[in-house]
Amino acid sequence: MEVSLEHPKYYDGFTEVVNATPSVVTCDYLTGDYDFMLRIQTKSSESLEQLHRVIKNIQGVSATKTYFVLKEVKCGMSEADDV
């Protein structure tokens, strides 16, 4: 899920909620159209919907964009020099 904040002053409050939410597996701070990319893991579409409502109701959240992963093609970290 991509998340935009209205203003940087909401950064601390947003990250506190995200860090306290077990279903949010990772959270990356971004440049570009959105401010954060969340990787979420839930047991059902109903629990995803509930989490989506929680995130949309965090003070300062102005927009979200949600993706559903069909299949993970590659997962892992590489060193920047290994291009």
Side-chain angles (χ1 to χ4, degrees):
M1 176 186 292
E2 293 175 325
V3 180
S4 288
L5 299 181
E6 293 174 18
H7 190 276
K9 69 182 179 182
Y10 296 112
Y11 175 91
D12 290 337
F14 176 80
T15 57
E16 284 178 26
V17 173
V18 166
N19 280 313
T21 306
S23 295
V24 177
V25 179
T26 63
C27 176
D28 298 307
Y29 191 43
L30 307 172
T31 62
D33 293 335
Y34 287 85
D35 297 309
F36 295 93
M37 173 67 78
L38 308 180
R39 184 167 185 139
I40 296 169
Q41 190 169 20
T42 62
K43 293 183 179 186
S44 66
S45 59
E46 290 82 13
S47 59
L48 175 60
E49 181 182 357
Q50 290 173 344
L51 180 59
H52 188 258
R53 288 180 185 173
V54 167
I55 291 170
K56 296 231 5 142
N57 283 307
I58 298 171
Q59 186 177 19
V61 170
S62 60
T64 63
K65 187 172 184 179
T66 304
Y67 303 88
F68 189 84
V69 176
L70 298 175
K71 177 180 172 183
E72 188 171 70
V73 176
K74 181 178 179 180
C75 180
M77 300 293 291
S78 66
E79 294 189 25
D81 293 329
D82 292 345
V83 177

